[in-house]
Amino acid sequence: MRLSLLPILALCACSSIVPSTVARLSTLSPTTADPAGFAVLMTLPDGLGVQRGSARLIFSARRTDTGETLQEDVILERDAGAQLFRIAAADYARLRAAQATARLWETQNKDATQGALSVHVAACKIGAGPDPDARVSVAIQTTQGGEFQPLVRNGPLSAIASAAQIRDMGACLS
């Protein structure tokens, strides 16, 4: 089972995607990756923020032969004063238990088991919101203490949100 990049590629279908990071992420197994190593770092333009409590990592797996599915949705906590998000330590055990179930499914029928990790974030406006030509960067860390790998490098705002999402974006709550 390998990491599904569809959610990432769907949002970031632009020339600002860093192909080498996509290639490295495609070799990552969602069932064995240590939750303590995951972190997402965003460089956001003035006028754009992340709605409090909206950053989540979702681990999902399914078996096509039995129809079984599982999903664990964990909040990514923001490090103070930064746009850096990590899984809360209190959620490691729950996520690791889901990974163990998916690994068991893999041993029972590898070809029928599929898994994915995805990150979801609700953006919000600060003040009048971001300039339409604003640029963003997103980097991901997959191992504790490892390097942040750029996923979107200085991409247009449209790399992370559609025009409708930007237009309809609510104000950040304090």
Side-chain angles (χ1 to χ4, degrees), residues 78-96:
R78 180 183 298 193
D79 279 7
Q83 295 296 329
L84 176 65
F85 298 85
R86 296 184 186 280
I87 297 171
D91 288 331
Y92 293 166
R94 189 166 45 99
L95 194 51
R96 287 177 178 142

Side-chain angles (χ1 to χ4, degrees), residues 37-146:
F38 284 107
V40 177
L41 177 63
M42 294 181 274
T43 305
L44 302 175
D46 290 340
L48 186 65
V50 173
Q51 198 66 261
R52 185 178 307 251
S54 74
R56 312 182 322 273
L57 179 128
I58 300 170
F59 170 79
S60 59
R62 70 181 179 108
R63 282 187 63 167
T64 57
D65 60 340
T66 65
E68 293 173 276
T69 62
L70 66 88
Q71 179 172 308
E72 283 299 331
D73 186 332
V74 296
I75 298 294
L76 296 173
E77 294 182 331
R78 180 183 298 193
D79 279 7
Q83 295 296 329
L84 176 65
F85 298 85
R86 296 184 186 280
I87 297 171
D91 288 331
Y92 293 166
R94 189 166 45 99
L95 194 51
R96 287 177 178 142
Q99 288 175 304
T101 298
R103 283 193 306 276
L104 175 64
W105 291 354
E106 279 185 304
T107 63
Q108 294 169 346
N109 191 342
K110 183 175 182 160
D111 293 335
T113 304
Q114 301 169 345
L117 285 172
S118 58
V119 174
H120 296 269
V121 176
C124 56
K125 291 180 184 177
I126 299 171
D131 183 297
D133 297 323
R135 310 296 283 183
V136 299
S137 294
V138 178
I140 189 165
Q141 181 185 51
T142 58
T143 57
Q144 199 165 21

Side-chain angles (χ1 to χ4, degrees), residues 4 12 51 112 124 151 160 168:
S4 170
C12 303
Q51 198 66 261
C124 56
L151 185 57
I160 62 166
D168 299 337

